[in-house]
Amino acid sequence: MVNTVNMDPTRTYRQGRRAETTGANTERILRAAAELLVERSFEHVTLPAVAELAGVGLQTVIRRIGTKDGLVRAVNDWIVPQISATRGAPDDARPIGDDLTAVTDRLAQHYEQWGRITERTMHQQDASPALKESADAGRRAHREWIEAVFAADLDPLPPAARDDLAGRLAAVCGVELWLVLRRDQNLSVAATRAAVADLASACRHRALTRGNLTRPGDRHDALPRPLFDLHRGASEGLRCD
């Protein structure tokens, strides 16, 4: 004989509604905290301020988050998957020869939405252990993304040259340069994308010519003339000191 439990439909409905309310409150808290972390220095971001902006009680924030470091970690856990989705998988951003459109398209999507909070986290990393954790994790994720996107350029190089090129590309494609061009120099998104692409291309071609390397599908006549002459000389056994 099978025993069955008769569930009260009204009770199930109430539980579902409570879960929805809890989730909605948490979302409001995280959105409010992210907004304040961009607008204010860390010392001026308080749990009561977060509660007021989110439209919830202070005890609700304390139950969900706990402390200010807990708040930062919760915001980071909430934002990181969204950043990953915005930036996309490295396979979707790989250069096609000298065409860096896919790379700069992903960077634009990433930094236009998340650039300011990324910058604020890096600049305030000494104010909180949780901010330092977030900043370090962001740097690692950026470097790993760059190494995956530009693997065809990096993998043939010896370790020192590989590390040099990866570092240059990480800097050129970093949030700091993007925001300098967009905010300080007042460039459009299209102009910023073009500038980043030009600088990344220069780094790639420098490594290519110094190492006498070619990438699959490269055409020598696609290089700027001085780089083409230098690369041709290297391939013909000439000294290019």
Side-chain angles (χ1 to χ4, degrees):
M1 180 178 180
V2 178
N3 292 324
T4 60
V5 178
N6 295 321
M7 297 297 295
D8 181 353
T10 304
R11 180 182 177 186
T12 302
Y13 173 79
R14 287 198 302 269
Q15 290 174 337
R17 292 288 292 177
R18 279 198 297 269
E20 290 177 6
T21 301
T22 298
N25 284 343
T26 301
E27 179 87 4
R28 284 198 294 270
I29 291 167
L30 295 175
R31 287 186 182 278
E35 183 176 335
L36 291 177
L37 286 167
V38 170
E39 293 179 350
R40 305 179 183 182
S41 63
F42 182 70
E43 63 182 298
H44 292 125
V45 176
T46 65
L47 298 186
V50 172
E52 181 179 359
L53 185 59
V56 300
L58 176 59
Q59 289 305 313
T60 299
V61 174
I62 294 173
R63 284 197 301 272
R64 301 281 190 279
I65 304 301
T67 65
K68 281 179 65 174
D69 269 352
L71 182 70
V72 171
R73 292 187 178 102
V75 170
N76 188 64
D77 290 343
W78 175 65
I79 286 178
V80 164
Q82 298 181 68
I83 289 178
S84 298
T86 303
R87 185 169 50 195
D91 286 345
D92 298 329
R94 296 189 195 281
I96 302 174
D98 287 329
D99 185 357
L100 299 181
T101 300
V103 179
T104 59
D105 178 60
R106 293 298 182 176
L107 293 177
Q109 293 181 54
H110 177 195
Y111 294 144
E112 289 299 303
Q113 183 170 357
W114 303 108
R116 289 186 65 202
I117 194 167
T118 300
E119 178 193 45
R120 293 287 285 173
T121 299
M122 294 169 63
H123 285 182
Q124 298 190 92
Q125 61 182 322
D126 293 333
S128 155
L131 285 172
K132 182 68 164 60
E133 293 167 10
S134 297
D136 288 344
R139 290 189 187 95
R140 288 193 300 271
H142 177 64
R143 176 65 178 245
E144 290 168 0
W145 190 82
I146 289 294
E147 290 182 348
V149 167
F150 293 99
D153 299 292
L154 296 168
D155 290 349
L157 298 175
R162 185 186 191 281
D163 190 59
D164 179 84
L165 178 56
R168 291 169 187 256
L169 290 171
V172 166
C173 297
V175 66
E176 299 95 333
L177 177 59
W178 187 274
L179 292 178
V180 165
L181 295 172
R182 287 284 287 128
R183 182 180 57 205
D184 300 347
Q185 301 304 316
N186 201 31
L187 267 62
S188 66
V189 173
T192 300
R193 289 179 59 177
V196 170
D198 288 346
L199 292 169
S201 292
C203 292
R204 297 171 77 214
H205 287 310
R206 177 182 181 276
L208 179 71
T209 55
R210 283 169 64 92
N212 189 21
L213 300 169
T214 59
R215 295 184 300 267
D218 274 346
R219 293 174 52 209
H220 291 172
D221 58 4
L223 297 175
R225 176 54 54 182
L227 291 173
F228 168 63
D229 291 341
L230 183 60
H231 182 68
R232 181 178 60 184
S235 66
E236 293 172 354
L238 301 178
R239 291 185 58 83
C240 300
D241 299 331

